[in-house]
Amino acid sequence: MRMQIADWSEAETFLAAHPDVEAVDIVLTDANGIGRGKIIRRHEVESLYRHGRHLPCSILGLDVTGEDVEETGLVWSVGDADLRAWPIPGTLVLMPWTMPLRAQVLVSLYHLDGRPHGADPRHALAAQLKALAAADLFPAGAFELEFYLLDADPGLDGKPRPAAMALDRRRHDQVQVYGLDDLDGMQPFFGPVYDAARKQALPLETLISEYARGQYELTLRYRTDLLRAADDLVMLKRLVRALARRQGMTACFMAKPFAGQAGSGMHLHVSMNDGRGRNLFAEAEGAPAPNLLLRQAIGGLAATMGDGMLAFAPHANSWRRFVAKLYAPVQPTWGINDRSVALRIPAGPVAARRLEHRPSGVDANPYLVGTTVLAGIRQGIAQDIDPGPAAEGQGFTQETPFSGSMPADWRAAIAQAEASDFLKSALGADLHRAFLAIKRAELLRVAGSVPDIDYHMYLHQV
């Protein structure tokens, strides 16, 4: 796969336009979707663009807490050798909330001889796009970002709580889904978010008050380049987190921060174009949806969903989100204009026909989600997989031909992902090995702890 790196002229023009930028964050997204890297000074930027920047191999072998996972094969077994980070075109942008002013640029990791490193999640998505392009198929799409805004300090019970309205510090105990007053009350926060997104050329669109106190959704405009759509999501999460911190709040990207309330998803909308930009998922006027290609895509996604669930729900907390009737899918179902299913065909014009993939939590890595979704679509098309009948409401209770393939919990998802030839092929052997090693290490850490619920249920009872 060819190196996709930015030219020095891009940075030279940027720095000339922004003489007050003093430093640049170089941001690598690891397997857990966490941004890691360095802050370099302005005079070091030219060297980054001309020669790359050394980063240790172990940066791709860290668990969610930043600890080395030796079993990835990326730490001491290779001497924690240096790799070379190269900047990604179009991602050098201002961070207007910083003082002194900094910029940021996303990077990918390569071997010293220029080969893409197999454990870098962004390269896995690029490989899927290349395979589809060889068949004259070009995915387009966008991710949605759901999240909670919490007070930086916990409540009197020591637990996190939804943030008070930024405008008047008002609190309430109502859900108020789609409530406009709540959005207005958070304008001192969301106003700067939109302003910063504009300065970063992020195509930020709709703002929604979601289905829980303190929960919001931001949508991004559709991209014809799905790799750039994943970059958008990475950059937007970083932007939202940073601005929330500066206003005394925490932007929470846990999939399920509160029991009994809705979890936060990261839905992926995707369609498929040909080389001339025509939407191949669009059926002819008056014809029933979905057409054959979209039906095959749905079939592939349903058939591979069980093997891919670890990419969509990568953490222990991720699995708390899958509760019926709280807008998180619990079966590999599909339907038309139906939010109870995992794979939804939204209502809308025929020309804009697309698929909404709903299983992923906001804690997932968008590069891994995109990779696994595209691999599922490819398999559905190649094998002409029939998804079975569409659900008609109550999709969380409907059995499908693929229901038996779904893991029951995080431990089962790890075991299924480890044994999956599909996921190994989708991610590539290096990333598959590293990702599974990281998840096993995190599972051991969680399994070795004693949660508060154990004391509540058993301390005085057994």
Side-chain angles (χ1 to χ4, degrees):
M1 188 165 54
R2 184 175 59 87
M3 292 177 67
Q4 298 176 331
I5 62 175
D7 188 79
W8 159 238
S9 61
E10 179 182 325
E12 188 175 29
T13 300
F14 177 88
L15 293 174
H18 303 287
D20 46 351
V21 168
E22 294 192 7
V24 176
D25 294 19
I26 59 174
V27 184
L28 174 76
T29 303
D30 72 5
N32 274 315
I34 297 171
R36 303 188 186 277
K38 301 179 178 182
I39 299 178
I40 63 175
R41 307 307 296 174
R42 181 187 180 96
H43 69 269
E44 299 178 273
V45 174
E46 182 173 358
S47 177
L48 168 68
Y49 276 75
R50 291 193 183 279
H51 308 296
R53 182 84 182 203
H54 286 156
L55 288 176
C57 188
S58 58
I59 202 169
L60 293 175
L62 302 175
D63 70 11
V64 73
T65 71
E67 294 278 0
D68 287 338
V69 179
E70 175 62 33
E71 292 79 7
T72 60
L74 299 171
V75 191
W76 298 117
S77 60
V78 292
D80 196 14
D82 274 340
L83 300 173
R84 186 166 289 141
W86 288 96
I88 295 168
T91 64
L92 178 60
V93 295
L94 290 176
M95 295 196 296
W97 56 86
T98 54
M99 185 64 67
L101 186 63
R102 303 201 313 272
Q104 72 175 21
V105 64
L106 304 187
V107 298
S108 282
L109 278 189
Y110 294 80
H111 292 281
L112 300 185
D113 63 6
R115 289 176 295 120
H117 195 282
D120 184 329
R122 195 175 188 274
H123 292 319
L125 179 52
Q128 289 298 321
L129 290 168
K130 181 180 179 181
L132 284 164
D136 198 35
L137 296 172
F138 301 91
F143 291 88
E144 297 174 355
L145 181 71
E146 296 178 355
F147 60 98
Y148 280 81
L149 287 175
L150 309 178
D151 279 346
D153 297 320
L156 295 177
D157 60 359
K159 296 182 179 179
R161 61 178 179 174
M165 294 292 101
L167 192 61
D168 57 11
R169 309 310 300 166
R170 176 175 57 89
R171 295 185 185 276
H172 62 75
D173 59 359
Q174 300 172 343
V175 172
Q176 293 298 345
V177 64
Y178 284 82
L180 293 174
D181 283 350
D182 282 7
L183 300 185
D184 183 60
M186 279 297 185
Q187 276 308 298
F189 170 72
F190 284 110
V193 165
Y194 275 90
D195 182 62
R198 178 180 56 80
K199 292 175 180 176
Q200 291 195 346
L202 287 176
L204 192 56
E205 295 199 322
T206 306
L207 170 64
I208 302 168
S209 177
E210 265 292 350
Y211 198 64
R213 290 180 297 125
Q215 188 186 35
Y216 302 90
E217 177 184 283
L218 289 166
T219 67
L220 289 154
R221 189 182 312 137
Y222 224 63
R223 294 273 198 184
T224 55
D225 179 356
L226 203 60
L227 197 56
R228 186 55 200 262
D231 294 339
D232 287 344
L233 199 283
V234 166
M235 293 168 68
L236 182 58
K237 284 181 72 173
R238 194 160 194 259
L239 183 159
V240 169
R241 192 192 305 274
L243 287 175
R245 184 183 299 126
R246 283 159 174 78
Q247 293 201 20
M249 296 184 290
T250 296
C252 175
F253 299 116
M254 291 173 63
K256 186 75 169 183
F258 298 108
Q261 296 189 41
S264 294
M266 188 178 70
H267 303 163
L268 170 58
H269 292 253
V270 63
S271 56
M272 193 69 67
N273 295 339
D274 64 13
R276 289 183 285 177
R278 296 180 302 178
N279 183 3
L280 299 176
F281 283 172
E283 66 275 2
E285 286 289 350
N291 68 18
L292 177 60
L293 188 72
L294 179 50
R295 189 174 180 85
Q296 291 171 334
I298 293 168
L301 290 172
T304 60
M305 191 175 294
D307 284 9
M309 279 304 298
L310 189 62
F312 310 143
H315 307 294
N317 178 260
S318 308
W319 290 81
R320 303 189 191 281
R321 173 173 162 261
F322 297 107
V323 178
K325 299 185 181 181
L326 277 178
Y327 295 98
V330 294
Q331 293 283 3
T333 51
W334 72 278
I336 299 172
N337 194 21
D338 184 343
R339 285 185 171 85
S340 71
V341 298
L343 304 166
R344 170 178 173 252
I345 301 175
V350 168
R353 187 68 71 217
R354 67 189 188 278
L355 172 71
E356 181 186 13
H357 183 271
R358 297 172 57 83
S360 300
V362 74
D363 56 343
N365 181 328
Y367 300 119
L368 296 188
V369 171
T371 297
T372 309
V373 165
L374 294 186
I377 290 173
R378 287 180 59 215
Q379 183 159 310
I381 295 170
Q383 298 180 10
D384 188 21
I385 298 176
D386 184 350
E392 295 182 1
Q394 305 292 320
F396 33 76
T397 61
Q398 178 176 306
E399 292 292 319
T400 80
F402 311 105
S403 295
S405 67
M406 294 293 286
D409 54 27
W410 190 40
R411 183 187 295 271
I414 292 172
Q416 187 165 336
E418 186 169 19
S420 171
D421 291 335
F422 162 78
L423 193 63
K424 184 175 182 179
S425 175
L427 302 183
D430 291 343
L431 180 54
H432 184 262
R433 179 180 63 250
F435 184 52
L436 266 296
I438 290 166
K439 294 298 110 180
R440 286 194 301 269
E442 292 171 357
L443 173 64
L444 287 175
R445 179 175 292 206
V446 171
S449 65
V450 179
D452 289 346
I453 189 65
D454 281 20
Y455 298 117
H456 175 72
M457 293 182 67
Y458 309 123
L459 179 61
H460 301 293
Q461 311 303 328
V462 297

